Amino acid sequence: MEVKLGFGAAPKPQYVFVSKESDHCWYMLSDNTRQIPIYETALTGVITGIEVNKKVETSHGDTEKTDLQILADKPYVIRSGSESYFSKSLLLSLDVLTSEQLRHPLTIAVSPGNSNVVFCNIYDPVTYRFIGVSWDGYREINWQTLGQKISIKINRIQNLDPDLTKVSPYTTASEIHAVLIAQSDTYLAQLNWTPEQGKEYLQQKYGKRSRLELTDVEILEFIDYLKLQLT
């Protein structure tokens, strides 16, 4: 993007929020928090990152959001509820995309469903091809694990964490768990924790002596704790 010198607005990402209304499905907020409808149904750009299950304070209390970061004419962040159909269809679509596809511009489109439901559809803007996904068995999907898998894949592409184990759309649950263990190894080494310190913490926090015994949710929580100690 061209850098404009001189006075202007602060170079902050533009947040876009998902909500089904009578004539639009997403909006922005003005400086005085007034909703500005977005009548276009699609945004095309390069995905630069994703944050899943991000805790956000709202007027209705703390809630978890999914933030998809996209670089288009300027940086955008598409924010949606982690439990929403938009977030889940977004994760399903990103899961089937290859690393090569994620390096190129993609079109993120909103699609209204029944009631207040909004789905996410992803297209290839060059071929106009729709990235189709299957909802079979979606009630049994561990969405937190899927989100972590996709986050790892996208962050690898952006070279934010090049040492992570390779994750593909066909990575199994056990392989994802191994990736998470490898992540925790890195943070434990940076903190200079001994194996005894790690076992003591796991015993006190989870009543378990090994990271191999932790569930995906617990290992993710443990990784977040280690990151917090580093900062």
Side-chain angles (χ1 to χ4, degrees):
M1 292 187 300
E2 181 181 353
V3 177
K4 181 181 178 181
L5 303 180
F7 285 104
K12 298 185 296 184
Q14 175 64 65
Y15 276 78
V16 175
F17 304 91
V18 178
S19 176
K20 183 181 177 183
E21 307 296 337
S22 59
D23 56 356
H24 61 278
C25 288
W26 47 18
Y27 64 90
M28 298 181 291
L29 291 177
S30 65
D31 291 338
N32 60 359
T33 68
R34 181 176 61 86
Q35 291 189 11
I36 303 173
I38 302 174
Y39 296 108
E40 291 83 358
T41 59
L43 171 64
T44 300
V46 176
I47 294 174
T48 57
I50 188 171
E51 292 183 83
V52 295
N53 301 113
K54 180 179 180 180
K55 290 183 171 56
V56 176
E57 184 178 346
T58 70
S59 57
H60 302 290
D62 291 344
T63 185
E64 291 188 346
K65 301 290 186 181
T66 296
D67 282 358
L68 182 71
Q69 300 153 23
I70 298 180
L71 183 61
D73 56 317
K74 60 182 177 181
Y76 291 90
V77 177
I78 299 177
R79 172 167 287 178
S80 55
S82 293
E83 294 298 318
S84 69
Y85 279 95
F86 182 91
S87 287
K88 290 179 179 179
S89 51
L90 170 67
L91 293 181
L92 289 173
S93 299
L94 293 176
D95 189 37
V96 301
L97 287 167
T98 66
S99 296
E100 182 61 27
Q101 288 174 307
L102 287 167
R103 289 187 176 93
H104 298 284
L106 294 166
T107 297
I108 311 297
V110 286
S111 175
N114 295 328
S115 186
N116 62 343
V117 171
V118 179
F119 292 98
C120 171
N121 292 331
I122 297 184
Y123 298 84
D124 183 324
V126 176
T127 64
Y128 287 23
R129 187 173 73 87
F130 168 61
I131 309 301
V133 298
S134 171
W135 283 85
D136 292 343
Y138 79 95
R139 295 185 186 277
E140 286 72 45
I141 293 176
N142 186 321
W143 294 101
Q144 187 170 14
T145 301
L146 179 61
Q148 179 71 9
K149 169 186 171 183
I150 291 167
S151 178
I152 291 171
K153 180 166 68 171
I154 291 176
N155 287 342
R156 281 190 68 254
I157 294 169
Q158 299 302 322
N159 295 318
L160 298 180
D161 201 345
D163 296 327
L164 287 174
T165 304
K166 185 176 182 180
V167 175
S168 76
Y170 309 103
T171 303
T172 65
S174 61
E175 289 171 333
I176 294 172
H177 199 81
V179 169
L180 300 179
I181 294 292
Q183 275 190 291
S184 64
D185 281 336
T186 301
Y187 297 129
L188 287 168
Q190 292 173 351
L191 288 168
N192 293 318
W193 273 31
T194 65
E196 289 71 25
Q197 284 177 286
K199 290 178 181 178
E200 182 180 353
Y201 178 83
L202 295 179
Q203 183 66 46
Q204 292 178 351
K205 178 69 175 179
Y206 303 107
K208 301 175 181 179
R209 295 284 292 172
S210 169
R211 286 171 291 162
L212 296 175
E213 300 174 14
L214 299 179
T215 66
D216 289 332
V217 172
E218 290 170 342
I219 189 66
L220 287 169
E221 186 179 81
F222 182 50
I223 288 171
D224 287 339
Y225 172 78
L226 296 177
K227 287 180 182 179
L228 186 61
Q229 305 313 300
L230 285 170
T231 57

